[in-house]
Amino acid sequence: MSLLSRFYYFVSLLSVVSCSVTVYTNLNPFLTGTANPAFQTAICIGAVPCDGNVLNPIPNPSLNGGQFAIQLYSGGMTGMSIPVSGSFLGFSIELSVSNAVLGNNGNTLNPIFLNLMANMQARAGKTLVRVGGNSQESATVVPSGLPNNTAIEKPQVGTDRTFTPVLLISPNLIYAMGNISTLVNVEWFIGLPFNDTSNPRTTLAEIAQSVLGKNLIGMQLGNEPDLYTTNQLRNSSYTVQDYTVEWGQVLQDYQQDSKVPNTDIFVAPSICCGLSGNGWMPEQVWDTGFLTQYGNNLAYIAVEHYPTNNCNDTGPLDPEQQMPQFFLNHSAVIELSQPYANTSQIAAQMNKPFIMFETNTASCGGFSGLSDSFVSALWTIDYALNMASFNFSNALLHVGGQSDYYNPFTPPTTNQTSYRQWSIGPTYYAALVVAEALGPTGDAQVLDLGLNNRNDLTPGYVIYEQGNPTRVVLINSLTDPSGASNYTALISVGGNNTGQPGATPATVTVKYLLAPSATDKWNITWGGQTFGGPFASDGRLTGDLQTYTVTCDQTNNVCPITVPAPAVAVVFLTPESFANSQGSATVTFETTIATAVHNKHGYRQSDGPRKVKRPRRTIFPRIRINESR
Ligand SMILES: *[C@@H]1O[C@H](CO)[C@@H](O)[C@H](O)[C@H]1NC(C)=O
Ligand SMILES: *[C@@H]1O[C@H](CO)[C@@H](O)[C@H](O)[C@H]1NC(C)=O
Ligand SMILES: *[C@@H]1O[C@H](CO)[C@@H](O)[C@H](O)[C@H]1NC(C)=O
Ligand SMILES: *[C@@H]1O[C@H](CO)[C@@H](O)[C@H](O)[C@H]1NC(C)=O
Ligand SMILES: *[C@@H]1O[C@H](CO)[C@@H](O)[C@H](O)[C@H]1NC(C)=O
Ligand SMILES: *[C@@H]1O[C@H](CO)[C@@H](O)[C@H](O)[C@H]1NC(C)=O
Ligand SMILES: *[C@@H]1O[C@H](CO)[C@@H](O)[C@H](O)[C@H]1NC(C)=O
Ligand SMILES: *[C@@H]1O[C@H](CO)[C@@H](O)[C@H](O)[C@H]1NC(C)=O
Ligand SMILES: *[C@@H]1O[C@H](CO)[C@@H](O)[C@H](O)[C@H]1NC(C)=O
Ligand SMILES: *[C@@H]1O[C@H](CO)[C@@H](O)[C@H](O)[C@H]1NC(C)=O
Ligand SMILES: *[C@@H]1O[C@H](CO)[C@@H](O)[C@H](O)[C@H]1NC(C)=O
Ligand SMILES: *[C@@H]1O[C@H](CO)[C@@H](O)[C@H](O)[C@H]1NC(C)=O
């Protein structure tokens, strides 16, 4: 069923059956806008919307004229990746804050989240979302539900960063996930606890399998076991061999649970930190026989990794220094992917997808000014396409709580949801760009072009589908309002002594991701459209879509594409590749606040039914460390 027909099906169902799903909002139209005293006096809560810190962009090295040739060949190119889809980049939502994002039960879904997922679906066909993280280790399901209509309760609150609280989960969280998938095409991973092998707590898997059915595509058993000693979930003598033995024991617990019929969709080993020197490399796990013993039970082979961290309270790293070293640096991005090349080959030989299950700019919340600025979008696009070029099948961007800078999207605190919308971070724009660059066919093969003599500030990629180059992604990480650091990519397809006739198209379509500077926070546009500033988004792009048609020189086989500093340009080499990536779904989910705003501008009312409810009362305690890595 198409999204549109599914939506109308849902609408018509609603008119006859009163107990079906209602996409509701608790935004009260009479409380919105600057005239509202609550709005005017409300304090700003949240790292992304409230932190005003803007870093200085890096100085501009000369691009020496800035014309770089790209020669593409019909039929494919050496070293192209395995085929991937526009759903390559998905999201990982920390379990302990997931109800604030998804909703507290199947009847109170968050329309803004639905819109954000619908945007992905329109471009990529579907989105992968994992609900889990460090907090999954302490999760226990309360089958009878939780008081005050909340899906998640944290009875203990700690301040110590390594302290893991007990996390109580209501089945309603899974019902919310299930109902989300009836409206938008989201496929789910659920994180299962592995903190206690003598008390495996299989109930979460039981409920997830029964409620989510085929929309449950993976169950992650254990999160970052290579940090278990550090995080005090195991003692100091815990080894990778112990892990493999224990994993088999807990697998058996699941296999003996008749309410968990499918034990072939596990995700493991989700190790993170061999590259950082404080954890295990995948080969150490493979050498214990892990894949030989459990390969048949795995739907995905998973690792997790963040390039750097902000975990050190006593001496935080300097984001201004991190920026050129790790983020505006293509060599550093390759160094993140290269160590996994052996494992991506092993996974391909086993016919298993290989997933970067959790990543983002920096663990422990990211960095102010870096994780929440355009830098993070430039990095995410480079890193995602780089992982694809190294034969990862998917990667999930982590979403944490209010104190995390790296969130692709952040809802307001629960007590402000009646008059504030969501803050959309730069990495969500990156997810849209990657989805469009890869498109929905599942045939996208990615190759790093080594553009501009492998310059670290100007990476470029080509995407092939069925043997033909269909899209080119060009990144310019410099900041130079004068225009002197713009570069021009000269794209040629075939011809030029390649032994092939010229296949350069007559025209190409270009869409730009733009910001005034690499460290800008809120003036990001994708194809001229935006999600606006802090607390400003209902999850839908606003503004008119702006694309550029570039006329190519077919006599000389050259399409000149200008890439401003900073920007990411996606060049659609064929009309089909553009049409596929723009999608066709038009269904969106209106919030009351959005309706009010739209009415003011004379836009039409919502398509769907709405039910305005009172603001939810539950307050989520802000536990910095436990919300995220
Ligand atoms: C939708 O939510 C309702 C209420 O929580 C629940 O009873 C129902 O099972 C959910 N449906 C799905 C498909 O998850
Ligand atoms: C594992 O987590 C559960 C639930 O939070 C907790 O009750 C239990 O004490 C933990 N076990 C260990 C060994 O950490
Ligand atoms: C439920 O809400 C009531 C009233 O706001 C509050 O007193 C109580 O502590 C809450 N219970 C839990 C378990 O959060
Ligand atoms: C660590 O735990 C294991 C298994 O529970 C136990 O056999 C071992 O003696 C412990 N080691 C230390 C150093 O406490
Ligand atoms: C790849 O991993 C396997 C399994 O750990 C190992 O035996 C092999 O030496 C590795 N190959 C390379 C090139 O690292
Ligand atoms: C934390 O920062 C302090 C001060 O910069 C430094 O001395 C210490 O080594 C850092 N600790 C870690 C674990 O990085
Ligand atoms: C970029 O990363 C490479 C590889 O880690 C490193 O050698 C180089 O110094 C980095 N560049 C900057 C400007 O830090
Ligand atoms: C990815 O896989 C393809 C197909 O097996 C292979 O040709 C290519 O070299 C791999 N890429 C990397 C970076 O390992
Ligand atoms: C709203 O919730 C936040 C925590 O999420 C709390 O710090 C703040 O004091 C609350 N404000 C009001 C007015 O209750
Ligand atoms: C650089 O790019 C910007 C943005 O597209 C454009 O306005 C400007 O004219 C360009 N400058 C040069 C010198 O090409
Ligand atoms: C960003 O946009 C705001 C309006 O949304 C504008 O006032 C501001 O000048 C812009 N900043 C830059 C650096 O362009
Ligand atoms: C292809 O040839 C034309 C003229 O023969 C030249 O202008 C152009 O730069 C060449 N392109 C590449 C990528 O070498």
Side-chain angles (χ1 to χ4, degrees):
M1 212 176 346
S2 75
L3 183 61
L4 198 67
S5 56
R6 190 193 307 198
F7 186 73
Y8 282 117
Y9 170 74
F10 150 69
V11 168
S12 56
L13 243 191
L14 258 184
S15 51
V16 271
V17 192
S18 61
C19 64
S20 33
V21 186
T22 305
V23 176
Y24 97 109
T25 172
N26 57 26
L27 294 169
N28 183 335
F30 303 106
L31 285 178
T32 60
T34 45
N36 166 27
F39 187 90
Q40 280 183 333
T41 58
I43 50 165
C44 195
I45 305 173
V48 174
C50 310
D51 182 289
N53 183 29
V54 177
L55 304 182
N56 295 312
I58 58 169
N60 285 320
S62 167
L63 291 181
N64 296 324
Q67 297 218 334
F68 317 132
I70 296 173
Q71 179 65 57
L72 307 175
Y73 304 96
S74 303
M77 284 170 81
T78 311
M80 289 189 313
S81 74
I82 57 171
V84 295
S85 153
S87 59
F88 181 88
L89 199 53
F91 303 98
S92 157
I93 302 175
E94 187 67 36
L95 176 60
S96 55
V97 298
S98 58
N99 58 339
V101 175
L102 307 177
N104 270 307
N105 59 60
N107 299 320
T108 57
L109 305 179
N110 237 318
I112 298 180
F113 180 73
L114 295 175
N115 283 330
L116 294 170
M117 296 301 105
N119 296 335
M120 296 296 291
Q121 178 179 353
R123 292 159 174 80
K126 67 177 178 188
T127 321
L128 309 190
V129 179
R130 170 242 198 167
V131 176
N134 277 350
S135 55
Q136 78 193 46
E137 300 292 3
S138 52
T140 302
V141 174
V142 181
S144 58
L146 295 168
N148 293 359
N149 192 32
T150 186
I152 291 177
E153 194 187 320
K154 301 156 196 163
Q156 297 173 27
V157 175
T159 47
D160 178 347
R161 290 187 149 228
T162 58
F163 179 77
T164 306
V166 172
L167 195 70
L168 302 179
I169 309 288
S170 161
N172 281 341
L173 182 72
I174 315 297
Y175 291 126
M177 292 161 68
N179 280 337
I180 286 168
S181 293
T182 66
L183 299 170
V184 285
N185 197 1
V186 174
E187 295 184 341
W188 301 98
F189 296 102
I190 189 84
L192 304 175
F194 193 70
N195 75 327
D196 189 347
T197 52
S198 61
N199 179 19
R201 312 202 296 289
T202 59
T203 318
L204 189 53
E206 293 173 3
I207 297 172
Q209 290 209 353
S210 110
V211 173
L212 302 177
K214 65 168 180 40
N215 290 320
L216 180 69
I217 57 170
M219 307 190 299
Q220 183 199 20
L221 186 54
N223 185 63
E224 302 180 344
D226 48 338
L227 294 188
Y228 278 175
T229 297
T230 312
N231 290 340
Q232 295 170 27
L233 292 170
R234 297 292 190 278
N235 69 24
S236 60
S237 58
Y238 193 61
T239 63
V240 64
Q241 285 80 14
D242 295 334
Y243 164 71
T244 294
V245 171
E246 284 182 350
W247 205 88
Q249 290 165 352
V250 179
L251 172 64
Q252 252 181 26
D253 292 320
Y254 281 94
Q255 286 169 329
Q256 284 161 9
D257 182 340
S258 62
K259 291 183 191 152
V260 183
N262 191 348
T263 52
D264 297 341
I265 54 167
F266 282 103
V267 176
S270 314
I271 49 169
C272 62
C273 294
L275 279 186
S276 324
N278 58 337
W280 304 330
M281 285 307 293
E283 282 76 5
Q284 290 175 263
V285 183
W286 311 153
D287 291 347
T288 65
F290 191 91
L291 293 175
T292 327
Q293 292 179 62
Y294 313 128
N296 289 342
N297 303 102
L298 298 180
Y300 287 78
I301 295 173
V303 293
E304 302 184 2
H305 192 67
Y306 292 74
T308 178
N309 74 78
N310 192 13
C311 301
N312 190 349
D313 270 332
T314 52
L317 297 166
D318 177 7
E320 209 116 30
Q321 200 179 6
Q322 307 279 302
M323 183 164 57
Q325 195 183 350
F326 293 116
F327 298 101
L328 302 180
N329 186 345
H330 185 58
S331 294
V333 163
I334 293 173
E335 281 184 2
L336 292 176
S337 307
Q338 175 73 56
Y340 296 110
N342 187 33
T343 291
S344 73
Q345 253 170 43
I346 292 171
Q349 278 156 17
M350 291 178 70
N351 213 6
K352 302 278 180 196
F354 177 43
I355 185 167
M356 173 56 71
F357 210 56
E358 186 182 316
T359 190
N360 212 313
T361 40
S363 60
C364 290
F367 292 104
S368 154
L370 190 153
S371 303
D372 53 352
S373 76
F374 195 55
V375 173
S376 66
L378 296 167
W379 174 79
T380 299
I381 292 165
D382 190 14
Y383 185 36
L385 295 175
N386 201 258
M387 281 189 277
S389 80
F390 273 88
N391 295 321
F392 279 84
S393 316
N394 300 94
L396 307 180
L397 274 181
H398 199 56
V399 183
Q402 292 294 340
S403 50
D404 294 332
Y405 289 100
Y406 54 48
N407 292 343
F409 38 79
T410 312
T413 55
T414 309
N415 58 12
Q416 298 191 340
T417 51
S418 60
Y419 52 91
R420 285 187 160 155
Q421 305 196 86
W422 290 25
S423 307
I424 308 303
T427 55
Y428 181 77
Y429 289 86
L432 294 187
V433 173
V434 170
E436 289 188 36
L438 299 174
T441 62
D443 296 329
Q445 293 181 271
V446 183
L447 180 72
D448 183 344
L449 290 166
L451 189 61
N452 183 18
N453 201 19
R454 309 205 156 270
N455 185 297
D456 282 333
L457 296 164
T458 60
Y461 295 85
V462 60
I463 286 87
Y464 274 77
E465 287 172 293
Q466 307 277 3
N468 295 311
T470 52
R471 302 182 194 85
V472 172
V473 178
L474 303 163
I475 302 175
N476 187 344
S477 299
L478 298 176
T479 295
D480 188 353
S482 81
S485 302
N486 294 6
Y487 72 79
T488 304
L490 304 170
I491 302 176
S492 306
V493 185
N496 286 52
N497 308 321
T498 61
Q500 299 172 355
T504 302
T507 60
V508 296
T509 302
V510 187
K511 220 171 145 177
Y512 289 103
L513 181 72
L514 294 172
S517 109
T519 56
D520 177 86
K521 288 188 168 181
W522 299 110
N523 290 31
I524 301 172
T525 54
W526 169 230
Q529 298 180 299
T530 179
F531 295 100
F535 304 117
S537 180
D538 70 357
R540 296 178 293 187
L541 282 163
T542 60
D544 294 329
L545 175 64
Q546 192 176 14
T547 60
Y548 295 85
T549 302
V550 173
T551 303
C552 305
D553 174 352
Q554 279 186 305
T555 311
N556 292 309
N557 276 319
V558 176
C559 293
I561 311 296
T562 301
V563 189
V568 178
V570 178
V571 185
F572 298 89
L573 298 174
T574 65
E576 300 74 37
S577 70
F578 177 70
N580 285 346
S581 289
Q582 304 314 301
S584 54
T586 52
V587 169
T588 59
F589 302 89
E590 297 240 359
T591 63
T592 309
I593 194 170
T595 307
V597 169
H598 279 194
N599 282 345
K600 221 168 49 190
H601 297 298
Y603 292 155
R604 73 196 167 89
Q605 293 252 4
S606 158
D607 305 318
R610 293 181 309 282
K611 192 159 92 192
V612 178
K613 291 199 174 176
R614 298 216 149 272
R616 281 165 283 179
R617 287 267 161 256
T618 322
I619 311 284
F620 302 102
R622 294 171 63 203
I623 320 166
R624 187 155 185 257
I625 177 61
N626 294 310
E627 285 177 352
S628 67
R629 280 194 68 244

